[in-house]
Amino acid sequence: MRRGDLADLTAFVAVADNLNFRAASGRLGVTPSALSYTIRHLEERLGVRLLQRTTRCVSLTDAGSRLLSRLRPALDEIGGALEDLNDERDRPSGHLRIYATSMAAEAVITPVWARYLMTYPEVQLELRVGEGPIDIVANGFDAGIGTQDHPAADMVAARVTGPMKVAVVGAPSYFACRPVPRTPDDLVQHSCIRYRQAADRSIDKWEFACDDKSQRISVHGPVIVNGAEVAVRAAADGLGIAYAVESLAEPLLRCGQLIRVLEKWSPSIAGLFLYYPGHRQVPAALRALIDMIRASPNPEGESHLPLLTRAPAAKLSERAMAPSMQTL
C-alpha cells in the first residue's frame, strides 16, 4: 500500500457515506476543494471512476459500491484498534461529539457539562442540538440522546433519566377570561399550542390518563410550533395552553408565569436514553460522560440508573411521547 492510500480511502468512504462533498469535508476537517482533489487523484491512480458527481448530486458507481463494501469492514477494524488505544489512556481526551434534541440537552447534558469539562479538561465537547432522530453514525457523532425509539437496532442504549411527567400549562392572563379546563374534553373550548411532527408534518394529538381511563385528542389553536421550549414560551405569553414535560415548565410555574391544569390527567412518559454504535469500542471520553450522568440525580430525583443494555427491539411509539419528547 502506498503512503497516503489509507487517508485517500478514508476520504472516499466519508464521501460515500454522506454523498455530499461539503458534509464529508466537514467530517474530515478539510476543505471541499481539497477533498475533491483527493478523490480525483485516487480515481486517476486506480484507473476507475468511483463516484458520479454533478453540481447537484453525488452517487456511487458500481465500482465505487463494490470498493465501499470491501473497505468498510477493514476501516472498522482499524478504527476499533485506535479506539482500543484511546480506552487505555488514563484520562479521557479528544473531541467528543454528542447529538441531542433541545429538551434532551437541557435535561441531561447541561446539568453536568461544567463539572465534566472541569474534571476532564483535555476533552473538547461538541453538542449539536436538533429536532428529532438522525443517523448519528452517518453524521459523525459519538452518541445521541433521545427517547426509547431513537436508537437503531444495532445501538447500545443507557437510560439517563427516569419517567418524566407531562404538564399542561397556561398563563394567568389567558385564564383570566376563560374557564379552567377540568377534563381533556374541555380543551375543545380553548386555544392550544400545537406541535407539528418534523418527519411527516402531521399535527400531534395530546394524550391523557386518569385512573383506568386514557384519551388521545386533537387540539386546536392559532399557534403551531416544532419545539417544546417554544410552546411553553408561547403559553407564558398568553397565546394558549401548552403540553410539555414538567421539568421544562417548572421554572415558569414556580415564578407564577404559568398555571398548571389537568394535573390528575397528566401522564408520565418514558425517559431519555443515551445511545451509541454497539459494534464500536466506547471512547474513554464518552464512557466518562455516561458514568457522570448516571451518578447524577435525574429530573425525577433518581440516581444509579440501569447499566447499558441493548436497545429493545420493540420500541415505544415516538408519536405517543410527542410533543414534549419529540423536541428532544
Side-chain angles (χ1 to χ4, degrees), residues 196-216:
R196 188 183 296 279
Q197 287 277 347
D200 60 9
R201 310 295 296 164
S202 63
I203 300 292
D204 277 323
K205 295 182 177 181
W206 292 7
E207 295 197 359
F208 297 95
C210 180
D211 298 327
D212 295 330
K213 299 178 182 179
S214 62
Q215 288 182 255
R216 192 163 181 256

Tab-separated table of all heavy atoms in Angstrom, residues 196-216:
chain	number	residue	atom	x	y	z
A	196	ARG	N	-46.116	20.285	15.419
A	196	ARG	CA	-46.070	19.599	14.119
A	196	ARG	C	-44.868	18.662	14.068
A	196	ARG	O	-43.735	19.061	14.349
A	196	ARG	CB	-45.981	20.603	12.973
A	196	ARG	CG	-46.127	19.924	11.597
A	196	ARG	CD	-45.966	20.913	10.449
A	196	ARG	NE	-47.003	21.927	10.429
A	196	ARG	CZ	-48.217	21.742	9.916
A	196	ARG	NH1	-48.556	20.558	9.438
A	196	ARG	NH2	-49.101	22.723	9.921
A	197	GLN	N	-45.107	17.411	13.692
A	197	GLN	CA	-44.041	16.423	13.544
A	197	GLN	C	-43.084	16.838	12.434
A	197	GLN	O	-43.499	17.255	11.359
A	197	GLN	CB	-44.636	15.054	13.196
A	197	GLN	CG	-45.339	14.382	14.352
A	197	GLN	CD	-44.370	13.651	15.252
A	197	GLN	OE1	-43.223	13.442	14.902
A	197	GLN	NE2	-44.833	13.259	16.414
A	198	ALA	N	-41.770	16.703	12.695
A	198	ALA	CA	-40.785	17.029	11.676
A	198	ALA	C	-40.795	16.016	10.537
A	198	ALA	O	-40.592	16.366	9.376
A	198	ALA	CB	-39.393	17.094	12.310
A	199	ALA	N	-41.036	14.734	10.869
A	199	ALA	CA	-40.906	13.673	9.866
A	199	ALA	C	-42.009	13.712	8.812
A	199	ALA	O	-41.739	13.748	7.613
A	199	ALA	CB	-40.883	12.313	10.555
A	200	ASP	N	-43.275	13.686	9.248
A	200	ASP	CA	-44.368	13.591	8.278
A	200	ASP	C	-45.270	14.821	8.262
A	200	ASP	O	-46.295	14.829	7.581
A	200	ASP	CB	-45.214	12.338	8.544
A	200	ASP	CG	-45.847	12.348	9.943
A	200	ASP	OD1	-45.778	13.396	10.627
A	200	ASP	OD2	-46.389	11.315	10.344
A	201	ARG	N	-44.866	15.852	9.006
A	201	ARG	CA	-45.575	17.141	9.006
A	201	ARG	C	-46.966	17.057	9.617
A	201	ARG	O	-47.771	17.964	9.470
A	201	ARG	CB	-45.673	17.722	7.591
A	201	ARG	CG	-44.370	17.778	6.826
A	201	ARG	CD	-43.401	18.714	7.486
A	201	ARG	NE	-43.898	20.096	7.467
A	201	ARG	CZ	-43.410	21.072	8.231
A	201	ARG	NH1	-42.464	20.814	9.086
A	201	ARG	NH2	-43.900	22.295	8.151
A	202	SER	N	-47.289	15.985	10.297
A	202	SER	CA	-48.609	15.863	10.911
A	202	SER	C	-48.653	16.618	12.234
A	202	SER	O	-47.624	16.893	12.852
A	202	SER	CB	-48.953	14.385	11.148
A	202	SER	OG	-48.034	13.812	12.065
A	203	ILE	N	-49.881	16.953	12.662
A	203	ILE	CA	-50.082	17.624	13.938
A	203	ILE	C	-50.351	16.568	15.009
A	203	ILE	O	-51.213	15.699	14.831
A	203	ILE	CB	-51.266	18.605	13.872
A	203	ILE	CG1	-51.001	19.673	12.803
A	203	ILE	CG2	-51.517	19.245	15.229
A	203	ILE	CD1	-49.880	20.621	13.129
A	204	ASP	N	-49.617	16.647	16.112
A	204	ASP	CA	-49.743	15.630	17.151
A	204	ASP	C	-51.022	15.773	17.965
A	204	ASP	O	-51.527	16.878	18.174
A	204	ASP	CB	-48.556	15.705	18.107
A	204	ASP	CG	-47.359	14.966	17.565
A	204	ASP	OD1	-47.547	13.915	16.933
A	204	ASP	OD2	-46.238	15.439	17.776
A	205	LYS	N	-51.494	14.630	18.436
A	205	LYS	CA	-52.576	14.604	19.402
A	205	LYS	C	-51.987	14.602	20.817
A	205	LYS	O	-50.847	14.204	21.021
A	205	LYS	CB	-53.449	13.361	19.181
A	205	LYS	CG	-54.182	13.366	17.845
A	205	LYS	CD	-55.083	12.130	17.706
A	205	LYS	CE	-55.858	12.175	16.395
A	205	LYS	NZ	-56.758	11.002	16.249
A	206	TRP	N	-52.781	15.051	21.774
A	206	TRP	CA	-52.351	15.069	23.165
A	206	TRP	C	-52.920	13.850	23.881
A	206	TRP	O	-54.090	13.513	23.716
A	206	TRP	CB	-52.837	16.339	23.866
A	206	TRP	CG	-52.164	17.589	23.358
A	206	TRP	CD1	-51.321	17.705	22.300
A	206	TRP	CD2	-52.310	18.905	23.912
A	206	TRP	NE1	-50.924	18.999	22.145
A	206	TRP	CE2	-51.506	19.770	23.121
A	206	TRP	CE3	-53.024	19.435	24.978
A	206	TRP	CZ2	-51.422	21.130	23.372
A	206	TRP	CZ3	-52.929	20.792	25.246
A	206	TRP	CH2	-52.132	21.634	24.448
A	207	GLU	N	-52.081	13.196	24.688
A	207	GLU	CA	-52.503	12.006	25.411
A	207	GLU	C	-52.721	12.317	26.890
A	207	GLU	O	-51.961	13.075	27.504
A	207	GLU	CB	-51.468	10.900	25.252
A	207	GLU	CG	-51.328	10.416	23.828
A	207	GLU	CD	-50.622	9.083	23.725
A	207	GLU	OE1	-50.223	8.539	24.779
A	207	GLU	OE2	-50.489	8.581	22.601
A	208	PHE	N	-53.775	11.712	27.456
A	208	PHE	CA	-54.123	11.907	28.856
A	208	PHE	C	-54.477	10.565	29.477
A	208	PHE	O	-54.913	9.644	28.781
A	208	PHE	CB	-55.307	12.869	29.004
A	208	PHE	CG	-55.017	14.256	28.491
A	208	PHE	CD1	-55.359	14.622	27.197
A	208	PHE	CD2	-54.400	15.188	29.307
A	208	PHE	CE1	-55.082	15.895	26.725
A	208	PHE	CE2	-54.119	16.464	28.846
A	208	PHE	CZ	-54.475	16.823	27.551
A	209	ALA	N	-54.306	10.470	30.801
A	209	ALA	CA	-54.665	9.243	31.521
A	209	ALA	C	-55.063	9.596	32.943
A	209	ALA	O	-54.421	10.432	33.592
A	209	ALA	CB	-53.490	8.270	31.535
A	210	CYS	N	-56.139	8.975	33.400
A	210	CYS	CA	-56.605	9.175	34.774
A	210	CYS	C	-57.261	7.878	35.237
A	210	CYS	O	-58.219	7.415	34.612
A	210	CYS	CB	-57.584	10.339	34.842
A	210	CYS	SG	-58.211	10.674	36.504
A	211	ASP	N	-56.742	7.317	36.297
A	211	ASP	CA	-57.215	6.017	36.779
A	211	ASP	C	-57.091	4.999	35.640
A	211	ASP	O	-56.013	4.797	35.112
A	211	ASP	CB	-58.646	6.128	37.297
A	211	ASP	CG	-58.749	7.088	38.483
A	211	ASP	OD1	-57.774	7.156	39.251
A	211	ASP	OD2	-59.782	7.763	38.621
A	212	ASP	N	-58.204	4.386	35.254
A	212	ASP	CA	-58.158	3.404	34.173
A	212	ASP	C	-58.553	3.995	32.827
A	212	ASP	O	-58.682	3.267	31.841
A	212	ASP	CB	-59.089	2.224	34.496
A	212	ASP	CG	-58.618	1.444	35.716
A	212	ASP	OD1	-57.389	1.413	35.942
A	212	ASP	OD2	-59.472	0.884	36.424
A	213	LYS	N	-58.747	5.293	32.789
A	213	LYS	CA	-59.179	5.935	31.550
A	213	LYS	C	-57.995	6.595	30.848
A	213	LYS	O	-57.099	7.131	31.488
A	213	LYS	CB	-60.241	7.000	31.846
A	213	LYS	CG	-61.502	6.464	32.492
A	213	LYS	CD	-62.467	7.614	32.792
A	213	LYS	CE	-63.719	7.103	33.484
A	213	LYS	NZ	-64.650	8.213	33.812
A	214	SER	N	-58.007	6.529	29.546
A	214	SER	CA	-57.000	7.236	28.758
A	214	SER	C	-57.670	7.857	27.543
A	214	SER	O	-58.661	7.334	27.029
A	214	SER	CB	-55.881	6.283	28.314
A	214	SER	OG	-56.383	5.265	27.481
A	215	GLN	N	-57.128	8.984	27.110
A	215	GLN	CA	-57.663	9.685	25.950
A	215	GLN	C	-56.533	10.210	25.092
A	215	GLN	O	-55.453	10.548	25.606
A	215	GLN	CB	-58.525	10.888	26.384
A	215	GLN	CG	-59.856	10.530	26.993
A	215	GLN	CD	-60.644	11.785	27.342
A	215	GLN	OE1	-60.754	12.158	28.498
A	215	GLN	NE2	-61.182	12.434	26.321
A	216	ARG	N	-56.778	10.271	23.801
A	216	ARG	CA	-55.833	10.859	22.860
A	216	ARG	C	-56.650	11.788	21.962
A	216	ARG	O	-57.457	11.317	21.164
A	216	ARG	CB	-55.149	9.758	22.044
A	216	ARG	CG	-53.956	10.223	21.236
A	216	ARG	CD	-53.118	9.014	20.814
A	216	ARG	NE	-51.962	9.421	20.057
A	216	ARG	CZ	-51.854	9.312	18.738
A	216	ARG	NH1	-52.864	8.787	18.043
A	216	ARG	NH2	-50.773	9.712	18.110
